[in-house]
Amino acid sequence: MSLYNNQLRSEPHFPVVKFYYYKEWRQFEMKPHAHEAIEFMHVLSGSCKVETNTESYQLKKGQIIFLDAHTSHRLIVTEKCRMFNLEISFQKGRTAFPPFCELYKENEALRLMMTNKKPHLLLHDSDDTYQCLRRLIMEVDKKSKQTDFMVQLLLSEYLIRVAGLAEIEYRETDQQYTSRVISYIHQNYDREVRVAEIADAVHLHPGYLQRVFKVSTGTSIHEFLVLYRMKKAKAMLAETDISITDIPHYIGMNSQQYFSTTFKKYVQCTPSAYRKRHQFNEALRRKSEDIKHLSER
């Protein structure tokens, strides 16, 4: 049964796991085929390509492809790819857990996914969905009637999480991605931050995210991060008594030499010269001890 079957919206059904497996593929090319069940493919390592009748998807670690029932597809692995495959279907009836039609009514992301009716979707996971899937499989493996309720609970949670990932794909605009990157930098500038980490947090390929951010802001993600760190460093130099040798650690730059070189490049003077030039009022300076106490609250 398709995820988009109208019966799932109005009549009591419950999802069931039909088949699942871990598999490492090596230089493999599958013939086009389709399943009666809905399929989810989680890439755990390596990369692969999945072709449907209309699209070709390149998948890497942390990505999921959703294939609705009866969707023709084939898997192509050039080198190697380890993945987890899950196939589910729906049965009519009621269990102790609320039927799927109730979940559909209550969850906005699920309603959006079922309204868009995409036969296949490439999704970007931040590990939460896969962890839910692992808990689900642990319950399925127990093969006990006592686990039925937990299987229903976890499978429903898994579908809602997948719908949440799909909602991001439907609704996220380039400007929204840029805003999320900026917010991430504002919250994490005080530690080492990599573009790949930011891309994972916003569910986009690093290369594509770089292009989106550059178009939106006129600068690269790395340069935006450096500029924001320099802004914070200037505030600390002008408004606090934090030692210049300690400031790099407050802004995620653990090398004093790199901090000094970068500061001079962007501000056109040394940190010590900037402090002398801008600290006019001793009474307005925030003491480093005050900042430490605030950070401990």
Side-chain angles (χ1 to χ4, degrees), residues 93-112:
R94 291 186 179 273
T95 65
F97 194 80
F100 187 77
C101 58
E102 294 297 327
L103 298 179
Y104 166 78
K105 292 175 184 177
E106 293 295 327
N107 188 265
E108 183 179 355
L110 201 54
R111 291 198 305 274
L112 179 65

Side-chain angles (χ1 to χ4, degrees), residues 43-75:
V43 177
L44 306 180
S45 64
S47 61
C48 66
K49 180 165 68 172
V50 174
E51 293 182 345
T52 69
N53 288 337
T54 58
E55 298 284 348
S56 177
Y57 298 98
Q58 291 287 343
L59 282 78
K60 63 173 188 174
K61 179 181 177 180
Q63 293 184 314
I64 308 165
I65 189 164
F66 156 79
L67 299 161
D68 194 31
H70 307 292
T71 298
S72 178
H73 62 281
R74 70 176 186 139
L75 172 69

Side-chain angles (χ1 to χ4, degrees), residues 103-204:
L103 298 179
Y104 166 78
K105 292 175 184 177
E106 293 295 327
N107 188 265
E108 183 179 355
L110 201 54
R111 291 198 305 274
L112 179 65
M113 184 176 182
M114 294 177 71
T115 300
N116 277 274
K117 297 184 178 181
K118 299 273 189 177
H120 33 81
L121 281 168
L122 178 61
L123 307 171
H124 306 267
D125 187 23
S126 60
D127 202 43
D128 291 343
T129 306
Y130 178 62
Q131 294 304 322
C132 176
L133 178 60
R134 289 185 62 186
R135 295 195 301 272
L136 166 64
I137 297 308
M138 287 176 65
E139 289 296 329
V140 172
D141 281 342
K142 291 179 182 179
K143 297 180 180 179
S144 166
K145 289 185 177 180
Q146 294 180 352
T147 68
D148 285 351
F149 184 87
M150 285 300 298
V151 169
Q152 291 292 300
L153 172 64
L154 291 168
L155 185 48
S156 297
E157 179 189 351
Y158 174 76
L159 291 172
I160 289 172
R161 286 186 178 275
V162 166
L165 298 178
E167 182 179 25
I168 294 171
E169 300 299 317
Y170 296 138
R171 293 186 171 177
E172 205 80 70
T173 65
D174 288 352
Q175 188 56 52
Q176 286 173 317
Y177 280 122
T178 298
S179 296
R180 290 176 65 193
V181 171
I182 291 173
S183 177
Y184 190 92
I185 288 173
H186 287 179
Q187 295 174 29
N188 296 277
Y189 70 90
D190 60 328
R191 63 180 185 83
E192 184 179 4
V193 178
R194 300 182 183 278
V195 172
E197 174 188 331
I198 300 174
D200 183 59
V202 302
H203 309 292
L204 269 190

